[in-house]
């Protein structure tokens, strides 16, 4: 039905009103409508056209690759939608924001998935190349699954040309980065203790470790009997009488024999890894700490049966411990410790002790500040093969790197009687028993502490010295720190985090003993183990991989991998079997995707519109990536170019449930984004909220910290979504008969300067909203946009402007200035509202655009670009006076509300139009601003719009004079007295106003009623 059809023969006055007409649905019907809109974008090639439009400034948000394994979770949603909001805003700003999505495809989890899917016989028949092919296929399948999910969220990207770390060109670029680092001297091979996972049988990077709660280790206090004292120390002990008095020496003939008797003096150490004791090669002390030689006694009060059962004859009579720890050690050891002589740590260097389990003696050495008196004894058991500090201290003293543990965590023959025991299983027990037997065990207790686990197998790791490839961070640390300083970190605390991590980190172990990855492209001499890697071999292998992919490393023999110059000696070389740390894969994306290596070689060419630029404008990932991708990308880029691969880094927190707990299956608090968007099996319980509600959530949270999500929050967001949608629907629905061309061109639009005050105020508010939201997007504070949008829709539009506008839109003659001026504003506002919400509520924005009831030049809201307003909209001088009148409106509404709730004489006041209002303003400064505002209203050339009764939605307003009879309410506030009474006259059946000129009217042959003079002239006009 069209308006003209109903007015031809109206059956009631309702049919004579200009009612809402729009196909824009109140209900989103997102499950069907969002994919339709996405298809429209695809048909229009909207993203492709906008992101490649010539002339625009380029903007590169470089995607951190998610791991190609598993279903998408809300963490993915937070990450990718944030990126999409930023990109869509950039596109609306006319920037070429091309987004190349990526996936991290190599590594152990995928290798394990493939292995787990095989039977044991299949596994045995598996060759490295067939394993790699299966892993390749698995990764691609996972990529497709995740891609479908991302696209459903309305994410715009080069979905048909993503970057995969398994792509040939990517792998070749990665080899290029490795090669540049080799040639710059930043890569070396060395024996070094690294985090080693016996369960995965590989070295792990820091980023692959996790520290679960509740780990305890079997900690032991052990006595190492002193065999020799350095000369000065022996002299000091002799001078104080300690050697003789305590019977430390059986023979006192100094200096020929400075050896105390067995069972005399011992150094006490403490360790939480008894299995490392076979590798003990020193005891380290802190040179600046105080130590004490203590006489040992068994307190008579000690109940029998407690404490270690060391044979009394073997227990040392004197222990050397840190002075500050004496009291706590008395408790831990269940022994009395009477300090006899205090010594500086530096005086202890050179003491020689007997290993309690092996026929060898080792020195006391000076370690560093890592030796403290927080726990233990202040003397540190040192096994250079099993700890980084130990390794460094050992290096200073030229100690060997003894590592009697194999890759499965079994002790080797070098561990003597303990060979074959496993360091995470039975080795500790066997060694503790042997210590007990030897009388060296002082005490044993479980000790709870942070302990690194393999993040994939969830099993404990160990420190183990192995031959590995390293990136020497020391070689470019100062450059890395300078590069960090040149980047903008948001939030700023990110800078301190990554700076501390880079400042304190050791060299980066980049080799892994796995099959599914990019090879470390080196050769070893079959006899001498000499390493072959140089510009020639690197360039050759890089070219091979660019052509054939990294499988070529496993497919070919050495002769097929070495450059021609080595053809005659191929038989001398053996190709390496290590793969690269996957963090090196993703950390090379500035080369593999941003073209960072090419840029260095050929310089930046202005004519070359690349898909992405190095360095990127922005990296955006979770805050854990200071340790991961932000850092690995920084290190490789700095090592090659001396600069960071990004100009700015933005981080987001993690998604928790509504109570701030981690989401987990066991807690049942997991929000599945697929169900949130598409609904669950039972849509009554799990409705399909659509991608826009998920996107609205992302915009609503302050992502600089961890963010909550749960059913309650989703419901609230769905409410906000509906409010915005209904507001848009109201705007669209009142434009069905509106032609937005100026009147001079045959349309209906009223010139801005000719609009009533109320309309100009609405445009000023819209201009202010656009300014504010633009600033929020520029500062990446989307939650401010979310708040501003809600406020605009609910307060400025629904509660004020549209509330007052109802009478203008419905009751006035369709073509009257009173209505056309309002429609002019609605059209201007709805087009801008669509643009403002487009980065976040992209589907709704497009839906609004598609439902504009008049032709527009742009097929899509995204082609219109970011909303702007002409200067004629801006009139900040309206804000204060209109604010005064709106405050008065709120005051009157409170009284009307009071009348509605009241019984008795006020009973029957329903709609505010049933009321009349009398206002009395106290004289003086207090009401001066309101008086001025009312004067402005009074002076408006459009009294049919700018009149207070209409703005208050009452039938009459009277200033001062005699109070109406039968007052229903009266209240004073801030010098304004508001009195409410029932409106005089009778109700017009058409506009519901109470007027004195209401009279009988014949609507049609069959209908008649009582209507007011205004309505009569509208119908007859
Ligand atoms: Zn009327």
């Amino acid at each position: 039905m069209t308006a003209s059809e109903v007015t031809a023969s109206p059956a009631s006055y309702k049919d004579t009103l200009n009612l809402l007409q729009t196909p824009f649905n109140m209900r989103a019907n997102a499950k069907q409508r969002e994919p339709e809109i996405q298809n429209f974008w695809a048909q229009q090639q909207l993203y492709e056209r906008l992101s490649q439009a010539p002339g625009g400034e380029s903007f590169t948000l470089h995607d951190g690759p998610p791991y190609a394994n598993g279903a998408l979770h809300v963490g993915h949603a937070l990450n990718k939608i944030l990126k999409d909001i930023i990109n869509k805003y950039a596109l609306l700003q006319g920037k070429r924001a091309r987004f190349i999505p990526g996936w991290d495809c190599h590594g152990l989890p995928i290798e394990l998935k493939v292995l787990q899917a095989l039977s044991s016989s299949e596994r045995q028949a598996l060759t490295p190349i067939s394993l790699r092919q299966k892993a390749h296929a698995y990764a691609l399948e996972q990529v497709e699954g995740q891609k479908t999910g991302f696209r459903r969220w309305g994410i715009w990207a080069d979905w048909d040309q993503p970057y995969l770390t398994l792509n040939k060109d990517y792998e070749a670029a990665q080899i290029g980065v490795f090669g540049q680092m080799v040639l710059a001297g930043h890569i070396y091979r060395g024996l070094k203790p690294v985090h080693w996972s016996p369960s995965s049988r590989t070295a792990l990077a820091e980023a692959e470790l996790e520290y679960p709660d509740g780990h305890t280790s079997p900690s032991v206090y052990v006595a190492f009997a002193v065999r020799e004292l350095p000369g000065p120390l022996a002299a000091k002990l002799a001078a104080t009488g300690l050697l003789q008095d305590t019977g430390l020496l059986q023979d006192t003939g100094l200096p020929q024999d400075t050896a105390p008797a067995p069972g005399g003096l011992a150094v006490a150490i403490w360790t939480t890894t008894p299995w490392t004791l076979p590798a003990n090669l020193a005891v380290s002390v802190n040179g600046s700490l105080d130590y004490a030689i203590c006489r040992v006694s068994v307190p008579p009060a000690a109940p029998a049966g407690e404490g270690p059962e060391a044979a009394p004859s073997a227990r040392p009579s004197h222990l050397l411990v840190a002075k500050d720890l004496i009291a706590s050690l008395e408790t831990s050891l269940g022994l009395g410790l009477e300090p006899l002589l205090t010594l500086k740590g530096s005086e202890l260097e050179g003491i020689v002790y007997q290993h309690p389990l092996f026929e060898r003696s080792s020195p006391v050495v000076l370690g560093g500040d890592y030796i403290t008196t927080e726990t233990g004894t202040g003397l540190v058991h040192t096994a250079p093969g099993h700890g980084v500090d130990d390794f460094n201290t050992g290096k200073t003293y030229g100690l060997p790197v003894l590592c009697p543990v194999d890759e499965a965590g079994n002790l080797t023959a070098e561990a003597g009687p303990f060979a074959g025991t496993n360091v995470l299983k039975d080795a500790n027990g066997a060694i503790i028993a042997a210590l007990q037997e030897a009388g060296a065990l002082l005490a044993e207790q479980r000790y709870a502490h942070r302990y690194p686990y393999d993040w994939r197998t969830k099993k404990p790791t160990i420190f183990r010295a192995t031959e590995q490839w390293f990136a020497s961070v020391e070689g470019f640390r100062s450059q890395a720190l300078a590069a960090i300083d040149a980047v903008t970190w948001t939030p700023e605390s990110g800078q301190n985090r990554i700076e501390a991590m880079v400042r304190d980190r050791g060299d980066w172990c980049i080799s892994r003993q796995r099959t599914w990855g990019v090879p470390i492209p080196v050769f070893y001499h079959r006899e001498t183990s000499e390493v072959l890697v140089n510009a020639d071999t690197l360039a050759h292998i890089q070219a091979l991989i660019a052509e054939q992919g990294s499988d070529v490393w496993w497919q070919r023999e050495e002769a097929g991998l070495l450059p021609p110059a080595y053809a005659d000696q191929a038989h001398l070389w053996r190709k390496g079997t290590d793969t690269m740390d996957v963090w090196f894969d993703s950390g090379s994306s500035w080369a593999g995707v941003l073209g960072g290596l090419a840029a260095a070689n050929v310089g930046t060419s202005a004519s070359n519109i690349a898909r992405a630029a190095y360095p990127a404008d922005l990296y955006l990932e979770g805050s854990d990536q200071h340790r991961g991708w932000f850092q690995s990308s920084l290190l490789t880029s700095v090592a090659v170019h001396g600069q960071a691969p990004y100009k700015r880094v933005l981080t987001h927190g993690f998604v928790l449930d509504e109570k701030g707990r981690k989401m987990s299956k066991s807690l049942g608090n997991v929000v599945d984004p697929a169900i949130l968007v598409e609904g669950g099996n039972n849509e009554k319980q799990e409705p399909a909220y659509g991608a826009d509600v998920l996107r609205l959530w992302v915009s609503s949270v302050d992502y600089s910290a961890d963010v909550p999500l749960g059913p309650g929050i989703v419901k609230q967001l769905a409410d906000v979504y509906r409010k915005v949608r209904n507001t848009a629907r109201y705007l669209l629905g009142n434009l069905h008969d509106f032609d937005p061309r100026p009147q001079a061109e045959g349309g209906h639009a009223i010139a801005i300067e000719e609009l009533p005050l109320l309309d100009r105020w609405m445009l000023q508010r819209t201009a202010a909203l656009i300014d504010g939201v633009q600033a929020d997007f520029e500062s990446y504070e989307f939650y401010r946009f979310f708040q501003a949008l809600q406020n605009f829709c609910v307060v400025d539009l629904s509660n004020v402007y549209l509330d007052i506008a109802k009478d203008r839109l419905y009751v006035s003659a369709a073509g009257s200035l009173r209505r056309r001026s309002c429609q002019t504003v609605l059209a201007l506002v709805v087009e801008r509202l669509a643009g403002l919400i487009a980065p976040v509520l992209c589907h709704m924005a497009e839906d609004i655009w598609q439902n504009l009831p008049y032709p527009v030049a742009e097929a899509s809201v995204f082609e219109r670009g970011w909303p702007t307003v002409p200067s004629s909209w801006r009139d900040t001088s309206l804000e204060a006076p209109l604010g005064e009148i709106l405050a008065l409106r709120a005051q009157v509404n409170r009284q009307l509300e009071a009348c509605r709730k009241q019984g008795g004489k006020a009973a029957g006041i329903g709609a505010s139009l049933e009321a009349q209002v009398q206002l009395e303003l106290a004289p003086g400064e207090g009401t001066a601003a309101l008086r001025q505002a009312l004067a402005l209203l009074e002076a408006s050339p459009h009294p049919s719009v700018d009149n207070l009764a209409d703005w208050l939605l009452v039938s009459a307003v009277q200033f001062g004079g005699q109070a109406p009879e039968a007052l229903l309410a009266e209240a004073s506030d801030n010098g304004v007295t508001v009195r409410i009474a029932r409106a005089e006259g009778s109700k017009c059946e058409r506009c519901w106003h109470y007027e004195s000129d209401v009279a009988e009217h014949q609507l049609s042959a069959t209908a008649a009623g009582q209507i007011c003079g205004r309505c009569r002239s509208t119908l007859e006009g």
Side-chain angles (χ1 to χ4, degrees), residues 28 30 34 81 676-677 688-700 709 713-722 786 840-841 843-844:
E34 287 181 349
I81 291 173
L676 195 156
V677 172
Y689 288 105
D692 271 2
V693 170
L694 184 64
R695 299 176 65 98
L696 191 62
W697 164 68
V698 171
S699 81
S700 74
L709 179 60
I713 289 172
V714 173
K715 278 211 179 71
Q716 287 169 22
L717 287 161
D719 274 349
V720 175
Y721 175 89
R722 266 191 295 274
F786 174 78
V840 176
L841 298 168
H843 304 93
M844 196 204 291

Side-chain angles (χ1 to χ4, degrees), residues 321-333 335 337:
V321 299
K323 196 181 171 198
D324 289 350
L325 287 164
I326 290 173
S328 68
L329 282 168
E330 284 190 310
T331 309
S332 309
L333 305 181
L335 296 172
L337 295 174

Side-chain angles (χ1 to χ4, degrees), residues 217-220 271-278 381 427-429 431-432 435:
S217 295
S219 79
V220 290
T271 179
T272 59
T273 50
W275 61 266
T276 60
L277 286 169
H381 148 57
N428 285 330
I431 287 164
I432 292 168
L435 291 170

